[in-house]
Amino acid sequence: MKDEVTSREERIENLKGMGCSRKRVEDARFTQGKGNYVDDIKLDGMLFGDFVRSPYAHAKVVSINTEEAMKVPGVLAVLTAADLAPLGLHWMPTLAGDKQMVLADGKVLFQGQEVAFVVAEDRYAAADGIEAVEVEYEELEVLVDPFKSMGSDVVLREDTVDDAGKPVDGAHGPRKHHNHIFTWEAGDKDPTFEVIDAAEVVAEETMYYHRTHPCPLETCGCVASMDKVNGKLTLWGTFQAPHAIRTVVSLISGIEEHNIRVISPDIGGGFGNKVGAYPGYVCSVVASIVTGKPVKWIEDRMDNLMTTAFARDYWMKGRISATKEGKITGLHCHVTADHGGFDACADPTKFPAGFMNICTGSYDIPTAFLEVDGVYTNKAPGGVSYRCSFRVTEAVYFIERMIEVLAIELSMDAAELRRINFIKKEQFPYTAALGWEYDSGDYHTAWDKALKTVDYAGLRAEQAQRVEDFKAGKTRSLMGVGLSFFTEIVGAGPVKNCDILGLGMFDSCEIRIHPTGSAIARLGTISQGQGHATTFAQILASEIGLPADSITIEEGDTDTAPYGLGTYGSRSTPVAGAATAMAGRKIRAKAQMIAAYLLEVHDDDVEFDVDRFVVKGAPERFKTMKDIAFAAYNQAIPGIEPGLEAVSYYDPPNMTYPFGAYVCVMDIDVDTGTTDIRRFYALDDCGTRINPMVIEGQVHGGLTEALAVALGQEIAYDDMGNVKTGTLMDFFLPTAWEVPNYETDHTVTPSPHHPIGAKGVGESPHVGGVPCFSNAVQDAFRAFGLRHTNMPHDHWRIWKTANELGLHG
Amino acid sequence: MSKKQHYTITVNGKEEEFLAEPRELLIYTLRERLNITGPHIGCETSHCGACTVTIDGKSVKACTMFVAQADGKDVTTIEGIGGPDNLHPLQNAFKEHHGLQCGYCTPGMITRATKFLEENPNPTEEEIRFGMAGNICRCTGYQNIVKSIQAAAAEMSAVREAAE
Ligand code: FES
Ligand code: FES
């Protein structure tokens, strides 16, 4: 089988492999309303479950009366902690080594906490049932402030103290107080303090990175179906980590893992919200076992914002020291982390504050020290990585604000201050003061390109003119130039230091080549909009020489996909993408032997060329991958097993470190506090680029989520622990009207340890975008003496800042 | 629970008759009763637009209408806008210009855009951004959605001109 003669360029193009903007294969069904999301699943006799939730943030549950609820037409069961306790399921382990109540066990710790689970024939009957459940509460003192919580006599969690009322050790060591969860440290305390105390210049600042929420457009949900005849449990759900969910369900339910099948169907966005295990999953499984019928649970938007997976909520206190010329000498960061009522952070086990220790950023800082104290309060549990890799957003915000504050202290230009402190190209691989080994980078080139493209000097001149005009009463508008340069740490991660609940964070790919030269590949990850079906096929196309259009990518079904730790923390490309390339290379190695046999030459005498193996020095003698696939299944080849399949489990040797340079130009109306983003330039370096169109889409989306967080999005509580932003009326999601057009750009610095040099990009724009938007707002007021003000910079807060600076006359 | 009533609604050209409680929201009638799962649910408070359908020629958020209010009306969902053999130019443009990622907002977005382009066949970018502001997307940042709508508008007006 010879194929028609085509040029090498055409053959490359036909593959639609790495580097091309292949259109997405997912889109046909999504644009025609044929996606299959969890709430679209409908099974025979399926029931609907929903929660009775606590109206109080801290209260004793005196009694629960379900009698009236059981009389409501259509209600079949009402589960309470008392029903779950005999099964040991009234509490469940969290990903952070803590445990969480599935249903209120004697008390509630946050508003919206799950108290009882009503199972009914449909949503309306369930809602009627919820109304009829009578719960008697006895209110307790509410602690919403972590600093007050750390000084309070009130014990939030009885399991944090012994019989004498003394704090007992938590999952990450000793507690300083009964409401304290852990202390986590990185770096050298004494040397850092010595350097800072002796420094020529020190800048200090305290900043609050407010609580927010990933809020994907689709909320969390699941359908549990226990088939009592064959003993198998099938669980469909919005899971960013289906295999981990299967293992957790097995461990806590006692159902053997082979009898559990977890399926993540199409997922309507995740952004970290769908990593954890929630009470709704446990209750649905139990309800299906109890009733013998499939049970669906779907959060409504209030449930989602109030209970599952908040993000951030870090109080960060920093000290940064430098020489008079601006060379940074030391950095100290202390974080008070508000984790709510249960520590349900989704971080690798050994990192209770995630990768916060990337907070030295892109700078060559010789000595640093970080300490994080986790604290319980009467707020919802969570602490997930909202479009970021384990607290990297907090870390980058911290350092990019500290740089700005230091620039003010030094009366220096913030762009120049960054430039003189960047890690230099020749310093990579670079070991940072807090321990990470950065794989590759070329920060100066990226920075220069960014500043040149936006005409940085011109912008500063324009800004100075604006300040003058403002002072002269000619305008009421100020101009901010926001800068950020970020280094991310993604692709968790090496099994030696990264696991979740003991599960090593490798990932996997299994490939089967079909006889006619098409293929299916299955991965341990799961797309939530990233377009894996499109981009992983491109990696494979380039690796194995079959067209991407002939490769099906499948994820999310634990019965068929190889084990993997899922999709979050930008780990799909760095880890599963690497597994895909490695599995592809195994295919290619076998294909080489088959080709050599067919061409009657030695294995070493053939070489791979785009879509075929050619005899070295005789390119007219070749076998295409299609020929080889056919032969693999149809010809007896001595010494070679039939078939063409491979599987790879990839344990990355290191994380990857994408980076980027962002500039935001913003006008601010001093009298209304409104902001107008005039220009946003984003240069990303994510190493090797698989699909530029998809990368650009990720950048647009991540920047928009960054804009939201910086300019208005928050989960706010009042003193009684009431959530003030529980609907989309109060919780800011930008519409097309508020969002600017973004200019995207790139440099390419491949990862030296990744098989294809790719680093991951999905979260970079969020991580780098938040400080950039925030810096733009703050920079506008720098000329009037502003040092720092906390996000979110909504119109009211900006107006207040202007007012406090005396700009309203 | 209230007494079930008899309703008749035309959905994507097909007349549907059924008994339902008047309090049932139209989005559930469509999704659960009639198995039309294209329109999605993102908020149930008429903020996100994931549930957008067209009723008697107007864009309506189906989470904000009781089935009783839809009695006798003509409803079009994404399923009625185009399929494999007759793709609407907007469906094609969203794919060509990467106007979607997770796809959850897409049916509502495209349904709204069909109406929007009827109201304003040659919109400016600003008009698109304003006219589409009732539909939230969490993934794309809107830039490529705007591009997709511009491309579809251009294609549709070229077709119109050719027909004239
Ligand atoms: S679900 Fe109807 S507008 Fe959000
Ligand atoms: S594509 Fe995900 S919400 Fe729009």
Side-chain angles (χ1 to χ4, degrees), chain A residues 728, chain B residues 40-52 61-64 134:
Chain A
L728 297 191
Chain B
H40 295 141
I41 300 167
C43 67
E44 293 173 297
T45 52
S46 61
H47 288 96
C48 77
C51 62
T52 305
K61 291 173 174 171
C63 73
T64 325

Side-chain angles (χ1 to χ4, degrees), chain A residues 152 175 270 335 349 361 617 620 713:
Chain A
S152 171
R175 298 179 202 274
V335 181
T349 308
E620 71 289 353
Q713 184 180 88

Side-chain angles (χ1 to χ4, degrees), chain A residues 467-593:
Chain A
V467 169
E468 248 174 63
D469 290 351
F470 183 87
K471 286 180 176 163
K474 288 193 220 156
T475 177
R476 295 297 292 160
S477 150
L478 291 174
M479 173 181 162
V481 181
L483 304 174
S484 87
F485 195 100
F486 64 91
T487 297
E488 258 217 290
I489 169 170
V490 306
V495 172
K496 62 177 187 286
N497 57 10
C498 287
D499 69 271
I500 288 186
L501 292 177
L503 306 169
M505 294 179 75
F506 59 81
D507 229 290
S508 56
C509 174
E510 181 204 274
I511 305 169
R512 295 182 189 178
I513 311 289
H514 306 316
T516 50
S518 65
I520 183 165
R522 296 187 169 101
L523 293 94
T525 44
I526 177 73
S527 186
Q528 306 127 39
Q530 294 91 336
H532 290 174
T534 304
T535 52
F536 284 132
Q538 291 181 257
I539 297 178
L540 263 187
S542 292
E543 290 291 342
I544 63 176
L546 292 173
D549 289 346
S550 304
I551 302 170
T552 297
I553 299 289
E554 216 181 74
E555 302 174 301
D557 181 342
T558 58
D559 262 12
T560 55
Y563 204 97
L565 265 275
T567 295
Y568 43 86
S570 276
R571 61 187 302 282
S572 297
T573 295
V575 192
T580 304
M582 297 311 268
R585 286 171 198 184
K586 290 184 186 174
I587 296 276
R588 216 160 82 185
K590 184 167 178 184
Q592 179 164 7
M593 295 193 279

